[in-house]
């Protein structure tokens, strides 16, 4: 089934970080029982899919081994069996185990550049795949981001990575693309990407955006040292991205995001119900 049918727009992807160091919720769901309860709650609040991640990708984060990542995510995936789940990983070994445990989508922030074996694992399982743009590695990506034109550069990158995925046997109808807000971009570059998000629609694939609580939102509200954005700023950003064609929204605050996007979608339709 094409991704657009599996998760109709606007689809909310709830974040479930099983990490000690994620920038907005690190350490909160390290115990499997807490993480499972939180994940179930996200679905109850209207998440179309829960994105389980065992490695932080925030600026400055240190990489973790596949063993450590698996140790964090396996019990959580077991506890969420039967619910729609994605695995936020760039490692083939972690993705394989997650797909065996029922995950449907692999969310790879390296867009298949982190592990040569990942594309084959996705293809073999007929899984869905999210390819995200980033410039540089998490440890250093905010040091000096530079682009000719951030939107053109991101577009060219995603086009190339989509071709790589398809050449590796991943069905194009199962791929979604993400400009990677906050990944090797200045606040102004992030805003430019959202402003011109519709230009990425030429790629013909659903667009995922992760703006939730990101520091650019705090900068907009006047704090030059902000490391996080607020809930209300996140909702404003999600609606702005929706109006420019975004399909899936990776968020921490599911209920509020579902409600905000339901209204944005109703306005787009000009009708209460679909
Ligand atoms: N952002 C983060 C992590 N994964 N995946 C996609 N597709 N798009 C994103 O924008 C994105 C992502 C970073 O946010 P968070 O999960 O809150 O922090 P951390 O990476 O530290 O876990």
């Amino acid at each position: 089934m094409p991704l657009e049918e599996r998760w109709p727009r606007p689809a909310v992807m709830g974040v479930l970080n099983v990490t000690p160091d994620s920038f907005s919720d690190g350490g909160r769901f390290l115990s499997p029982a807490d993480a499972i309860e939180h994940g179930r709650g996200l679905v109850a609040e209207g998440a179309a899919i829960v994105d389980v991640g065992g490695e932080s990708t925030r600026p400055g984060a240190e990489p973790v081994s596949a063993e450590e990542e698996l140790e964090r995510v396996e019990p959580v995936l077991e506890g969420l069996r039967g619910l729609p789940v994605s695995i936020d990983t760039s490692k083939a070994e972690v993705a394989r185990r997650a797909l065996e445990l029922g995950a449907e989508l692999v969310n790879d922030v390296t867009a298949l550049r982190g592990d040569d074996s990942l594309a084959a694992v996705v293809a073999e399982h007929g899984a869905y795949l999210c390819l995200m743009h980033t410039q540089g590695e998490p440890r250093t990506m905010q040091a000096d981001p530079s682009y000719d034109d951030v939107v053109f550069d991101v577009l060219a990158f995603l086009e190339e990575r989509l071709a790589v995925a398809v050449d590796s046997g991943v069905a194009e109808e199962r791929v979604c693309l993400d400009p990677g807000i906050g990944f090797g971009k200045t606040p102004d570059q992030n805003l430019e990407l959202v402003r011109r998000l519709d230009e990425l629609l030429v790629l013909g694939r659903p667009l995922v955006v992760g703006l939730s609580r990101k520091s650019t939102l705090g900068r907009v509200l006047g704090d030059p040292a902000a490391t996080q954005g607020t809930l209300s700023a996140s909702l404003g950003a999600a609606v702005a991205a929706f109006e420019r064609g975004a399909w899936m929204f990776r968020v921490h605050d599911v209920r509020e995001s579902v409600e905000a996007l339901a209204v944005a979608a109703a306005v787009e339709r000009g009708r209460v119900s679909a």
Side-chain angles (χ1 to χ4, degrees):
M1 181 192 302
L3 187 138
E4 294 92 320
E5 278 175 37
R6 177 67 188 88
W7 293 290
R9 174 173 180 263
V12 167
M13 170 186 267
V15 176
L16 182 52
N17 285 319
V18 197
T19 56
D21 55 351
S22 289
F23 79 89
S24 71
D25 56 0
R28 279 186 59 203
F29 308 116
L30 261 184
S31 104
D34 288 351
I36 293 162
E37 192 186 324
H38 186 67
R40 290 189 182 146
L42 295 178
V43 173
E45 290 183 12
I49 188 161
V50 175
D51 191 37
V52 177
E55 175 173 33
S56 175
T57 47
R58 95 191 132 81
E62 293 292 336
V64 297
S65 69
E67 292 69 39
E68 168 101 43
E69 210 180 315
L70 270 173
E71 226 168 84
R72 292 176 183 174
V73 299
E74 261 192 303
V76 179
L77 293 167
E78 270 160 16
L80 294 178
R81 256 183 192 281
L83 296 179
V85 163
S86 64
I87 180 74
D88 190 343
T89 192
S90 35
K91 299 189 185 74
E93 194 182 332
V94 176
R96 177 179 292 113
R97 187 70 192 122
L99 295 170
E100 284 166 9
L101 290 169
E104 291 178 70
L105 185 151
V106 176
N107 176 23
D108 176 16
V109 300
T110 74
L112 302 177
R113 295 176 304 159
D115 185 334
D116 289 344
S117 316
L118 182 58
V121 170
V122 173
E124 217 174 276
H125 282 81
Y128 294 93
L129 175 65
C130 180
L131 299 171
M132 196 196 78
H133 174 272
T134 179
Q135 189 176 83
E137 308 278 322
R139 222 162 32 77
T140 54
M141 66 188 174
Q142 291 307 111
D144 186 23
S146 115
Y147 300 90
D148 289 333
D149 174 306
V150 70
V151 179
F152 292 164
D153 290 6
V154 167
L155 188 139
F157 173 91
L158 292 174
E159 186 171 35
E160 190 251 331
R161 301 319 295 168
L162 175 61
V164 168
V166 171
D167 286 348
S168 311
V170 178
E172 183 162 353
E173 64 170 30
R174 295 195 164 226
V175 181
C176 51
L177 305 172
D178 186 330
I181 301 299
F183 286 81
K185 286 132 192 143
T186 64
D188 285 353
Q189 288 164 348
N190 290 323
L191 293 169
E192 179 77 354
L193 274 167
V194 181
R195 184 172 81 91
R196 292 169 53 199
L197 193 72
D198 56 342
E199 293 180 34
L200 302 180
L201 294 171
V202 297
L203 295 168
R205 299 306 311 141
L207 300 176
V208 179
V209 285
L211 282 152
S212 178
R213 299 188 190 172
K214 286 194 176 160
S215 59
T216 291
L217 307 178
R219 308 285 169 96
V220 170
L221 298 184
D223 177 359
T227 55
Q228 274 195 51
T230 61
L231 165 60
S232 38
S234 304
L235 298 177
V239 169
F242 174 84
E243 290 183 331
R244 289 155 180 81
W247 195 279
M248 191 179 273
F249 303 80
R250 186 177 181 279
V251 307
H252 301 82
D253 304 285
V254 168
R255 186 187 303 279
E256 294 86 348
S257 303
V258 166
E259 289 182 1
L261 290 164
V263 173
V267 169
E268 189 175 270
R269 283 193 305 272
R271 298 160 54 97
V272 166
S273 44

